[in-house]
């Protein structure tokens, strides 16, 4: 509550991704009200021509945002979402720290985690709401691999939650999981049988987690051949342009990178101090060897993150699968923040803090870091960026800008008009790229349409072409249609009465993904019912 109090008093922070997420929530909420509980196509972007945004953006954040939009005024929704995500992050870190430390040490560590500089940078300046929610699952993933008894559900559940929340966080999490597994396998003391069980359990848990999230992963992986996904790696947003304190041709970009770099240095210094304190302090527990190995794991992970933040690691970023799509190496600070917080808990454990001082210290840490971060990171909301203004634009049906990376490969954003009506007709002898008549009312293409055409003409729908669209003309399914430079669907229609329907069909990759998720969920439930379930 302390972390969101400045938002309650001053209003939302209109950060870098604020409008993007707000539109996702409103679009999802509208489709929920129409009975579509698993939307794939967003109709408002590209000025009502739409894009397959929900195929490629994980569903958990926009589903929660849409549900909150039903429960409260939209102006409150970003603040409530932030409170929910930060609360979940704090509880998750508390659960992680409690496994290895005292309750009061875990309390302070959890309070620090949810208000650490990187988390509040994500909250106030970036408003990267999906990444913010992923902060709740990262501690659970660390718990799954660092605890004494590694289990398949303990790995599978956070892996699935990460993939259903945010792609960069999921990629980082899976590679961090692989590194920590390797470290545990190589540390002395374990017999070959234990190492084999650990490797098998971690692998099985990861595969089960991917299966649980297959309803999103499989369509996103398969269908990205249909969109301009490489646009996400535009100049300035590539890994090589975003190592610590790098400079580009954009002063605005450099300012953000400089802020992230300073945060990285602060977290690395604090991690070094915390690791040193935890190493030198004897931890009074009957399981002395566990904390010692735990510190080794955390130290190696922190060193790996520190190296990946610098330019000498560029070859790793360019050749390891999916790493280039993280864009910003400093996103790894999300994992470093969890590592630092757990290390703080380990360092504080020997102090045997009493409850009242621990609670007071937690509140003081939360208040101090929140006030500082809000002052440094809060983004002013211009009148057109506020929630009421965004809601008014959304309800006006004028559409919004397209996302470059979700633009279909057959479409060009530069050719797209911002004022297209739902549909228009072009004489058959005219150019297929003829624009709509002037002074028409913008709108989205209808799902069904009946036209009485005196002559053969071309029907243009304000809807971008995509393989999932199923179009019928007079009850006959169309397998092809004309190509326009703006990517809109153009259909030759004969003279006379014509009936056209357009529906978003269920593709094979979506069906397979749903089946894999269902089978994985059944398997997970069977494992959870079997006591004890497989452990290493």
């Amino acid at each position: 509550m302390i972390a969101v109090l400045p938002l309650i008093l001053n209003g939302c922070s209109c950060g870098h991704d604020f409008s993007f997420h707000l539109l996702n929530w409103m679009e999802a909420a509208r489709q929920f009200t129409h009975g579509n509980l698993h939307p794939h196509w967003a109709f408002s972007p590209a000025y009502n021509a739409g894009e397959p945004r929900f195929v490629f953006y994980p569903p958990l954040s926009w589903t929660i945002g849409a549900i909150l939009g039903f429960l409260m005024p939209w102006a409150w929704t970003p603040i409530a979402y932030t409170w929910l995500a930060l609360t979940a992050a704090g509880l998750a870190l508390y659960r992680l720290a409690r496994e290895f430390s005292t309750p009061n040490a875990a309390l302070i560590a959890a309070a620090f985690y949810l208000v650490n500089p990187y988390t509040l940078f994500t909250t106030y300046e970036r408003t990267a709401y999906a990444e913010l929610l992923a902060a709740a699952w990262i501690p659970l993933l660390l718990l799954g691999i660092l605890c004494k008894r590694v289990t398949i559900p303990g790995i599978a559940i956070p892996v699935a939650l990460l993939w259903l929340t945010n792609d960069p966080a999921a990629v980082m999490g899976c590679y961090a999981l692989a590194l920590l597994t390797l470290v545990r396998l190589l540390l002395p003391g374990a017999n070959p049988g234990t190492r084999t069980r650990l490797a098998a359990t971690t692998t099985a848990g990861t595969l089960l987690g991917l299966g649980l999230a297959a309803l999103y992963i499989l369509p996103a992986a398969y269908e990205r051949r249909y969109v301009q996904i490489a646009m996400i790696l535009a100049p300035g947003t590539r890994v090589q342009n975003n190592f610590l304190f790098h400079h580009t041709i954009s002063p605005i970009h450099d300012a953000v990178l400089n802020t992230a770099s300073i945060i990285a240095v602060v977290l690395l210094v604090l991690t070094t101090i915390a690791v040193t304190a935890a190493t030198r302090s004897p931890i009074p527990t009957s399981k002395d060897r566990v904390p010692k190995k735990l510190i080794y794991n955390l130290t190696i992970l922190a060193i790996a993150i520190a190296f990946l933040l610098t330019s000498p690691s560029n070859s790793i970023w360019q050749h390891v699968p999916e790493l280039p799509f993280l864009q910003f190496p400093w996103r790894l600070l999300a994992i470093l923040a969890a590592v630092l917080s757990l290390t703080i808990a380990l360092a504080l454990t020997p102090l045997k803090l009493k409850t009242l001082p621990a609670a007071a210290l937690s509140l003081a840490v939360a208040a101090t870091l929140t006030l500082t971060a809000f002052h440094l990171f809060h983004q002013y909301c211009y009148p057109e960026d506020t929630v009421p203004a965004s809601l008014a634009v959304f309800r006006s049906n004028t559409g919004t800008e397209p996302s470059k990376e979700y633009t279909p490969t057959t479409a060009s954003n530069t050719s797209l008009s911002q004022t297209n009506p739902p549909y228009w007709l072009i004489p058959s002898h005219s150019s297929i790229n003829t624009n709509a008549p002037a002074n028409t009312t913008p709108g989205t293409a209808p799902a069904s349409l009946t036209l009485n055409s005196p002559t053969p003409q071309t029907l243009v729908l304000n809807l971008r072409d995509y393989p999932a669209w199923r179009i019928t003309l007079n009850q006959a399914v169309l397998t092809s249609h004309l190509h326009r430079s703006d990517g809109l669907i153009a259909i030759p229609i004969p003279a006379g009465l014509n009936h056209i329907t357009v529906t978003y069909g269920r593709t094979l990759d979506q069906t397979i993904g749903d089946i894999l998720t269902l089978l994985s969920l059944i398997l997970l439930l069977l494992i959870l019912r079997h006591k004890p379930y497989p452990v290493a």
Side-chain angles (χ1 to χ4, degrees):
M1 185 57 70
I2 290 175
V4 299
L5 186 60
L7 301 177
I8 295 173
L9 299 177
N10 299 281
C12 296
S13 177
C14 292
H16 308 161
D17 297 342
F18 184 74
S19 297
F20 174 84
H21 285 287
L22 199 58
L23 174 63
N24 286 354
W25 302 350
M26 294 176 181
E27 180 76 35
R30 174 182 284 178
Q31 296 201 39
F32 288 171
T33 60
H34 293 163
N36 183 8
L37 300 182
H38 189 186
H40 294 88
W41 189 266
F43 289 91
S44 298
Y47 309 108
N48 295 314
E51 61 189 25
R53 178 178 296 190
F54 295 134
V55 173
F56 302 101
Y57 208 87
L60 204 51
S61 67
W62 49 258
T63 298
I64 293 174
I67 292 173
L68 290 175
F70 287 128
L71 299 177
M72 61 189 66
W74 277 107
W76 300 359
T77 300
I79 300 174
Y81 180 99
T82 302
W83 175 85
L84 186 65
L86 291 177
T87 301
L91 293 174
L93 198 286
Y94 181 83
R95 174 65 185 89
L96 168 64
R98 188 65 189 90
E99 184 76 11
F100 308 103
S101 65
T102 62
N104 290 332
L107 175 65
I108 296 171
F112 172 80
Y113 179 62
L114 66 89
V115 294
N116 77 83
Y118 182 73
T119 297
L120 294 186
F121 173 64
T122 303
T123 301
Y124 298 145
E125 180 160 334
R126 298 179 61 218
T127 53
Y129 289 126
E131 289 186 48
L132 182 62
L133 183 61
W137 318 137
I138 291 173
L140 300 183
L141 184 65
L142 294 179
L143 174 64
I145 187 57
L146 294 175
C147 64
K148 185 177 180 180
R149 294 167 58 86
V150 177
T151 67
I152 291 177
I155 299 295
I157 293 173
V159 166
L161 288 171
L162 281 171
W163 278 108
L164 293 172
T165 301
N166 181 254
D167 289 339
V171 172
M172 294 186 299
C174 286
Y175 280 120
L177 172 63
L179 176 61
L180 291 174
T181 302
L182 182 62
V183 172
R184 289 196 62 169
L185 291 174
L186 296 178
L187 282 177
N191 59 59
T194 301
R195 289 191 173 97
T196 301
R197 287 194 298 273
L198 174 62
T201 302
T202 305
T203 302
T206 302
L207 292 176
L208 181 58
L210 295 174
L212 290 168
L215 82 167
Y216 160 71
I217 295 175
L218 190 60
Y222 182 79
E223 294 186 28
R224 67 179 181 179
R225 69 193 66 191
Y226 301 136
V227 297
Q228 301 176 35
I229 199 68
M231 293 299 293
I232 201 172
L233 301 178
T237 61
R238 298 169 184 164
V239 167
Q240 58 266 34
N241 304 130
N242 289 280
F243 291 115
L244 295 190
F245 298 107
H246 188 82
H247 292 285
T248 66
I249 60 174
S250 172
I252 297 177
H253 177 87
D254 287 353
V256 175
L257 178 55
N258 188 66
T259 300
S261 300
I262 294 173
I263 294 172
V265 171
V266 170
L267 293 187
L268 287 170
V269 170
L270 291 176
T271 302
T272 303
I273 296 172
V275 167
T276 303
T279 303
R280 293 183 177 180
S281 300
I283 300 178
T285 170
S286 60
K287 300 177 289 183
D288 287 335
R289 297 176 63 187
V290 175
K292 187 175 181 181
K293 290 183 178 180
L294 174 63
I295 292 173
Y296 289 156
N297 278 270
L298 297 175
T299 301
I300 292 172
L301 180 56
I303 291 172
I305 292 173
F307 175 69
L308 290 171
L309 294 174
T310 61
S311 56
S313 67
N314 187 50
S315 59
I316 296 176
W317 285 97
Q318 300 305 323
H319 294 95
V320 175
E322 301 304 318
L323 274 189
F325 286 96
L326 262 68
Q327 300 175 289
F328 314 119
W330 44 261
R331 277 177 161 155
L332 288 166
L333 298 179
I335 295 179
L336 183 62
V339 171
L340 168 58
S341 301
L342 177 55
T343 311
I344 289 174
L346 297 176
L348 291 176
T349 295
L351 301 181
K352 298 182 179 179
L353 295 169
K354 300 298 182 181
T355 300
L356 187 60
L361 181 57
S362 298
L363 293 173
V365 167
T368 302
L369 293 181
T370 294
L371 291 175
T372 303
F374 188 78
H375 174 73
L376 294 174
F377 303 145
H378 176 260
Q379 302 294 296
Y380 175 74
C381 283
Y382 292 95
E384 65 272 16
D385 296 328
T386 62
V387 176
S390 299
L391 183 61
V393 170
F394 179 76
R395 289 175 173 172
S396 70
N397 293 324
T398 56
T400 58
E401 293 181 352
S403 301
K404 294 179 180 179
E405 64 269 26
Y406 303 144
T407 299
T409 53
T410 57
S412 169
N413 289 327
T414 58
S415 302
L416 185 66
S417 171
Q418 300 183 18
T419 58
N420 284 332
Y423 67 91
W424 68 95
L425 294 169
I426 301 174
S428 56
H429 57 78
S430 300
S431 169
I432 189 62
N433 290 313
T434 301
N435 289 328
N439 300 321
T440 53
T441 303
T444 303
S448 63
L449 182 65
T450 300
L451 296 172
N452 193 357
S453 178
T455 60
Q457 298 187 83
T458 299
L459 171 65
V460 180
L461 300 173
N462 190 26
L463 183 67
R464 283 190 149 168
D465 192 12
Y466 194 71
W469 289 119
R470 184 178 182 273
I471 305 171
T472 65
L473 174 61
N474 299 325
Q475 299 184 342
V477 178
L478 298 180
T479 57
S480 63
H481 36 268
L482 303 176
H483 175 71
R484 287 172 53 92
S485 61
D486 54 12
L488 299 182
I489 295 173
I491 307 167
I493 61 173
L497 191 64
N498 295 281
H499 183 66
I500 302 97
T501 63
V502 183
T503 55
Y504 193 93
R506 203 172 166 73
T507 59
L508 180 61
D509 54 273
Q510 293 168 13
T511 300
I512 295 175
D514 289 350
I515 292 174
L516 288 176
T517 293
L518 179 60
L519 294 177
S520 299
L521 182 59
I522 293 172
L523 179 58
L524 175 64
L525 294 175
L526 291 175
I527 294 174
L528 290 173
R529 287 191 61 185
H530 183 269
K531 299 287 186 171
Y533 37 75
V535 298

